[in-house]
Amino acid sequence: MDTSTSRLVPWSLALVALVAACSSTPDQPGILPQDDGGIPDAGGDGGPVVVVPQDGGTVVTGTLAGTLTAAGSPYRVVGDAEGIVVVPKRQVLVVEPGVILDFQGRPEVTEADVEAQAPTSVMNHQKGRVELRVYGGIQVRGTADAPVVLTSTNPYGWWGLNFYGEDSVGDGDPVFEHMIFEKVRKNEYNGTREWTRGALWAYYPGPVTIRHSLFRDNVSAAKCGALDLMFTVASRVEDTTFEDNRTTEIDRFAQAGTGSMAGGGAMCVTHGRDSVVSGNTFRNNGLEAFGGAVSDALTSRPILAWPNPQNIYDLGGGGALHYFQPSNDLIQDNLFEGNFVTRGPASAIYLEDVGTRGVTLRGNRFVSNRAGAGGVVVCNRGSGGVELVVATDNVFTGNTTDGKAAANVSGDCTTAAQ
């Protein structure tokens, strides 16, 4: 592991995430205890407050591998000259309970990165952030009492954790348990996927397992505010809270009369199959549309129905979840509460290009979600027999479309009860 142990350099002392009045406990350094000592199930309080200690710890530059222990924590991830830190091929990173990974990058560079002619540009404050690229194996193994924390004391966040398809296979399938994942900012204007979608971009042709975790305060510019399971097979996301994540569409598709590629305020399953999303809470996640090069103001953009003269598939929607080309995916026993789309469709779930029995919804609760168009669940461009199965034990309460009672399900897919 390419690291060095040192005291914090002076410029980072002033950039600790939370006020100095907060303190940590000896048994859980950097974590303020909650009543139950762990990540709350669905309490709506956002989970434990993370405090990154100001002294001690380990500085990380080019690579991360081996075992990270609480004794070496916090790990202050600066990255190399390009703002990148790598889990190398044929190596495995194991993160033990209680570890804090602070993806601080170079905050002084981030703060200086402002266009004088465009101080409100979404392209400001992008330099100096750090990205974690996984080409080897990764096992994040926190506990309820000592979760692993991936955060950033850089006031403008970090570029997230990214996998790279076949290049990331061969060292054991990734597992994330009892983890807090927060403060990613992927807002590169019309940039590459790893810097525009999914704070955790799991482009990985195998199973990804995420359990008992918390994703909060993450922002992506294109899709999937917190998590994108891309080309994964038999992935499982269970007993995890997604709260206050955003997809803030800041590209050309937000302009009037065009389609949108933005979707999934919290999470996407993209070209995946056989995934299970079960027992999770999706609360106050949202999909917002900005004017891109035209304006930095929020734009009201209704869905562009297919077919249309522009010959565009409008893929924008889903306050919480977005599925593209789903295949035998199960969404069960989740709570969707207070998710939103500023103007587009599907206050909770948007399904696109769906084959026969592509998605099954079972035992979910949809409460007070809101959108500008479509229903709570929108299923478009069905290509099979019965594309969507909606069991009778799903519950829909207080959801709205354009301020009025929302349809539970809408779109052109064939829907069946089970």
Side-chain angles (χ1 to χ4, degrees):
M1 180 166 55
D2 180 12
T3 62
S4 61
T5 303
S6 68
R7 306 287 287 187
L8 274 176
V9 289
W11 53 258
S12 60
L13 280 171
L15 295 171
V16 177
L18 295 162
V19 295
C22 296
S23 61
S24 57
T25 60
D27 56 330
Q28 292 180 259
I31 305 295
L32 295 183
Q34 301 294 293
D35 293 339
D36 62 357
I39 299 172
D41 294 329
D45 59 3
V49 176
V50 177
V51 179
V52 179
Q54 297 186 23
D55 57 3
T58 306
V59 174
V60 181
T61 53
T63 62
L64 267 173
T67 300
L68 306 187
T69 66
S73 183
Y75 292 85
R76 309 181 194 280
V77 184
V78 177
D80 64 12
E82 302 299 320
I84 295 168
V85 65
V86 173
V87 179
K89 193 69 176 174
R90 292 180 294 279
Q91 297 190 45
V92 178
L93 174 65
V94 177
V95 188
E96 292 189 341
V99 166
I100 297 174
L101 284 155
D102 172 17
F103 291 87
Q104 64 182 27
R106 298 175 60 195
E108 83 284 11
V109 175
T110 315
E111 183 60 37
D113 176 31
V114 178
E115 295 181 52
Q117 285 76 27
T120 64
S121 169
V122 297
M123 295 302 293
N124 289 332
H125 305 303
Q126 296 193 351
K127 297 178 181 177
R129 298 185 197 163
V130 61
E131 171 197 354
L132 175 57
R133 296 184 175 183
V134 180
Y135 297 107
I138 185 168
Q139 303 282 311
V140 175
R141 302 278 190 181
T143 65
D145 292 331
V148 170
V149 179
L150 289 83
T151 188
S152 179
T153 56
N154 187 324
Y156 298 98
W158 57 299
W159 286 115
L161 188 160
N162 300 312
F163 292 80
Y164 287 85
E166 294 290 347
D167 290 337
S168 299
V169 174
D171 302 289
D173 297 320
V175 174
F176 304 90
E177 294 182 335
H178 293 288
M179 171 184 71
I180 300 173
F181 196 102
E182 64 179 11
K183 299 184 180 179
V184 171
R185 297 292 183 268
K186 288 190 172 181
N187 66 331
E188 187 178 55
Y189 180 84
N190 284 334
T192 55
R193 291 182 297 189
E194 63 268 31
W195 280 16
T196 60
R197 59 186 298 157
L200 199 170
W201 181 51
Y203 175 23
Y204 184 84
V208 176
T209 300
I210 299 172
R211 295 191 178 103
H212 319 305
S213 293
L214 170 64
F215 288 81
R216 66 181 172 196
D217 186 22
N218 299 292
V219 178
S220 296
K223 298 179 91 72
C224 332
L227 174 65
D228 186 10
L229 299 175
M230 177 175 278
F231 289 103
T232 71
V233 180
S235 290
R236 302 186 73 91
V237 180
E238 300 171 319
D239 187 31
T240 290
T241 296
F242 294 82
E243 191 162 25
D244 297 318
N245 302 288
R246 297 286 182 271
T247 293
T248 54
E249 181 186 39
I250 50 177
D251 62 16
R252 62 185 182 274
F253 298 106
Q255 299 170 24
T258 67
S260 172
M261 294 294 290
M267 175 182 163
C268 299
V269 177
T270 310
H271 308 287
R273 59 184 172 88
D274 303 327
S275 68
V276 175
V277 176
S278 177
N280 306 291
T281 295
F282 295 88
R283 179 183 288 114
N284 194 35
N285 304 287
L287 172 59
E288 303 167 322
F290 289 82
V294 177
S295 168
D296 61 2
L298 280 171
T299 301
S300 295
R301 187 198 58 76
I303 185 173
L304 185 64
W306 175 260
N308 54 71
Q310 296 96 321
N311 200 32
I312 292 172
Y313 291 132
D314 191 328
L315 307 183
L321 293 180
H322 184 280
Y323 282 66
F324 182 69
Q325 295 181 340
S327 177
N328 192 40
D329 294 302
L330 176 62
I331 305 171
Q332 70 174 4
D333 299 330
N334 303 286
L335 170 64
F336 297 87
E337 181 178 23
N339 304 288
F340 64 92
V341 183
T342 51
R343 181 60 183 169
S347 59
I349 303 173
Y350 192 88
L351 312 171
E352 180 78 19
D353 198 5
V354 186
T356 300
R357 291 185 178 263
V359 176
T360 297
L361 297 174
R362 182 181 300 135
N364 302 286
R365 290 184 294 148
F366 299 89
V367 181
S368 300
N369 303 286
R370 58 195 188 278
V376 181
V377 178
V378 174
C379 183
N380 279 338
R381 292 177 59 213
S383 58
V386 173
E387 294 95 357
L388 173 63
V389 176
V390 181
T392 57
D393 59 0
N394 292 284
V395 176
F396 296 83
T397 305
N399 304 289
T400 59
T401 297
D402 199 21
K404 302 175 183 178
N408 296 340
V409 180
S410 66
D412 63 10
C413 293
T414 301
T415 302
Q418 185 183 61

